[in-house]
Amino acid sequence: MATIHTLGPSGTNLEKAAHRWFADRRRQGTVVLHGEVEDGLDVMKFDGTEAILACAVYPRLHDLVFSNLHRLEMADSFILDTYDMVLATRPDQGPVTTIITHPAPSCLVADRGTITYASSNSVAAAECAAGRYDACVTTGQAAQAEGLRTLENFGPVPMVFTLHVGKVGAGC
């Protein structure tokens, strides 16, 4: 495996897991980040050297697997703690009424305001930092990178990550 395609931007739990996969195997490799997990399918090679990394709570994991049986095969899975998951806001933010979050951890704040979905935890942090939402559910890493203040730390989540390798010669 030389390249893993997964969800970006930088700071996602999936990026962390992709780098860990290479490190645990003492391999050099490239991690390519995309706006959606499936976007990697448009650019990856189907020669056994590239893969898509997803996680067990990814809301569309079943679509990724079953829509791509002809060109992907699940080659590995592993458990890794996510970064701390946090509810964060800008340092000067007053009351919280709007929250942006990836769909997966949204139940952590289901009763705390109006929820909007983002494509990743890192995007949620950026949108909050830009002032478009009062708060976000994100990783501690992304919150810190965006200069956000943590309101609540839910801690790390032991997560199952799944690696889906492009079948040789499968193409699109």
Side-chain angles (χ1 to χ4, degrees):
M1 190 65 51
T3 303
I4 295 176
H5 298 268
T6 198
L7 183 64
S10 188
T12 65
N13 289 311
L14 283 162
E15 179 191 28
K16 173 186 176 182
H19 286 293
R20 175 61 67 87
W21 190 90
F22 284 123
D24 285 352
R25 285 148 189 83
R26 294 183 180 94
R27 292 185 186 182
Q28 294 294 317
T30 303
V31 176
V32 180
L33 303 176
H34 299 278
E36 299 283 341
V37 170
E38 295 84 357
D39 291 348
L41 293 168
D42 297 333
V43 297
M44 71 183 283
K45 295 177 185 172
F46 291 88
D47 62 0
T49 67
E50 298 195 17
I52 300 279
L53 185 74
C55 69
V57 299
Y58 180 53
R60 296 190 321 255
L61 181 59
H62 64 286
D63 290 335
L64 178 70
V65 171
F66 290 106
S67 296
N68 293 286
L69 287 174
H70 63 289
R71 61 184 179 162
L72 291 178
E73 57 191 6
M74 194 175 303
D76 200 1
S77 64
F78 58 99
I79 298 174
L80 175 68
D81 282 354
T82 65
Y83 292 119
D84 282 5
M85 298 301 299
V86 301
L87 174 63
T89 190
R90 292 175 305 288
D92 61 347
Q93 177 63 43
V96 171
T97 58
T98 60
I99 303 169
I100 187 164
T101 177
H102 185 272
S106 65
C107 67
L108 295 172
V109 292
D111 59 348
R112 298 194 189 186
T114 303
I115 305 294
T116 299
Y117 294 124
S119 60
S120 75
N121 296 314
S122 295
V123 168
E127 290 288 307
C128 179
R132 293 181 189 91
Y133 300 91
D134 299 337
C136 61
V137 175
T138 190
T139 64
Q141 177 102 354
Q144 183 178 16
E146 293 290 346
L148 299 175
R149 174 175 56 98
T150 297
L151 298 175
E152 185 172 351
N153 187 333
F154 303 105
V157 178
M159 184 59 57
V160 174
F161 293 91
T162 58
L163 191 74
H164 308 262
V165 176
K167 292 181 180 179
V168 176
C172 295

